[in-house]
Amino acid sequence: MEFRPCIDIHNGKVKQIVGGSLRDMGNRAQENFVSEKDAAFYARFYQQDGIKGGHVILLNHAGSIYYEETKRQAVFALRAYPGGLQAGGGICAENAKEFLSEGASHVIVTSYVFSGGKVNFENLKKLVRVTGKERLVLDLSCRMGADGAYYIVTDRWQKFTSEKISLELLERLSAYADEFLIHAVDVEGRAKGIEVPLVRLLGSWGKIPVTYAGGIGSFEDLKELRQEGAGRLNATIGSGLDLFGGTMEYRKVLAFCGK
């Protein structure tokens, strides 16, 4: 298990939000924490400890009045720690190269690949021609459907697709990606426990790196993630971390995760 840091940017500020509350209309979200520091501060902070593989996420859509400032903050972070962070949020074949050239080790993509509510292999292959498999992370963030299955959600977690998280889907998509990032959106930002059935499913696979985010608010949650995920999942902690107003001490998290 590796600790994977996050720098989430919304309306031009580094924030921690309740994931399921994010709305494009009015650029709204329920906020847990709003930092007075810029994104580059956090990038340099993680760089000091040599932690790689963290993600910088732009939480405004391209048409938002805040998008350019959010993007500017993201670029600040990528330039502050070149090669150390991944970038996601509105990435497509047309702009992926720009984020890579600004210093992202990988780009993280959901909506472009799952446009139309299912895997769009034409877009996926187009993207891979730009990034290569080795610089692409597929974000399979998901929410539970009425049938108890986990469905991939797009457009900043607001739209359900018809694609269920399954071992078969992970196998198919792993041919195109270096890693998977998976936010459990229903518990994202709540710091009240992980989605155990999802974690068990992801931990039963483990053929490429998988980072889980969502609900980790205590070391008991982190232990449960390690156990139920068979030690195969990397962990992102946002609202639960003391850097973002939570109770979990950053240094103790690093020690737990073996850094």
Side-chain angles (χ1 to χ4, degrees):
M1 175 189 286
E2 295 179 9
F3 170 69
R4 296 292 185 90
C6 60
I7 305 174
D8 295 341
I9 309 170
H10 183 243
N11 296 355
K13 300 285 188 180
V14 175
K15 294 182 182 180
Q16 284 297 313
I17 68 168
V18 175
S21 74
L22 187 61
R23 297 290 182 271
D24 287 345
M25 183 71 71
N27 299 289
R28 293 181 291 114
Q30 181 181 334
E31 298 170 345
N32 289 332
F33 178 84
V34 180
S35 180
E36 296 179 358
K37 308 289 187 182
D38 67 7
F41 167 85
Y42 291 96
R44 288 190 290 266
F45 182 88
Y46 298 134
Q47 185 182 38
Q48 289 175 353
D49 288 314
I51 301 171
K52 293 191 174 184
H55 47 275
V56 180
I57 303 294
L58 292 75
L59 292 175
N60 293 102
H61 68 101
S64 166
I65 60 173
Y66 295 103
Y67 177 77
E68 289 303 324
E69 180 57 26
T70 290
K71 181 180 176 183
R72 190 169 75 96
Q73 285 293 320
V75 169
F76 283 166
L78 298 176
R79 290 177 178 174
Y81 189 8
L85 297 166
Q86 305 167 356
I91 305 290
C92 60
E94 288 69 33
N95 66 9
K97 191 173 181 179
E98 176 186 1
F99 285 92
L100 293 173
S101 67
E102 291 290 3
S105 66
H106 300 67
V107 290
I108 306 167
V109 184
T110 307
S111 299
Y112 181 74
V113 169
F114 295 93
S115 62
K118 59 184 180 181
V119 182
N120 184 324
F121 282 100
E122 181 179 347
N123 280 0
L124 179 55
K125 291 174 183 177
K126 190 176 178 182
L127 185 63
V128 172
R129 285 196 290 270
V130 176
T131 66
K133 177 184 186 294
E134 68 279 0
R135 301 191 75 181
L136 177 62
V137 175
L138 289 179
D139 186 336
L140 309 183
S141 294
C142 56
R143 307 184 81 160
M144 185 181 286
D147 60 356
Y150 291 94
Y151 289 83
I152 294 171
V153 288
T154 66
D155 298 272
R156 292 153 301 283
W157 308 327
Q158 294 166 81
K159 293 182 182 178
F160 273 82
T161 72
S162 61
E163 298 286 358
K164 296 180 183 180
I165 300 287
S166 66
L167 298 181
E168 188 271 336
L169 182 69
L170 297 175
E171 195 71 37
R172 269 197 301 158
L173 294 180
S174 66
Y176 300 92
D178 194 43
E179 298 185 10
F180 294 135
L181 169 64
I182 301 178
H183 294 83
V185 177
D186 292 328
V187 297
E188 171 72 17
R190 299 188 184 277
K192 292 182 178 180
I194 63 173
E195 287 273 21
V196 173
L198 176 62
V199 166
R200 286 175 179 161
L201 173 62
L202 299 174
S204 70
W205 187 69
K207 295 187 179 180
I208 65 173
V210 177
T211 296
Y212 170 88
I216 302 172
S218 69
F219 283 94
E220 287 304 311
D221 294 334
L222 205 52
K223 289 175 186 175
E224 188 172 33
L225 177 66
R226 174 177 279 171
Q227 178 178 334
E228 300 294 347
R232 292 176 173 150
L233 304 182
N234 299 322
T236 290
I237 306 170
S239 298
L241 201 62
D242 61 354
L243 300 180
F244 302 116
T247 60
M248 298 178 72
E249 293 180 35
Y250 169 75
R251 293 292 167 196
K252 289 183 178 179
V253 169
L254 293 193
F256 183 95
C257 293
K259 177 61 180 176

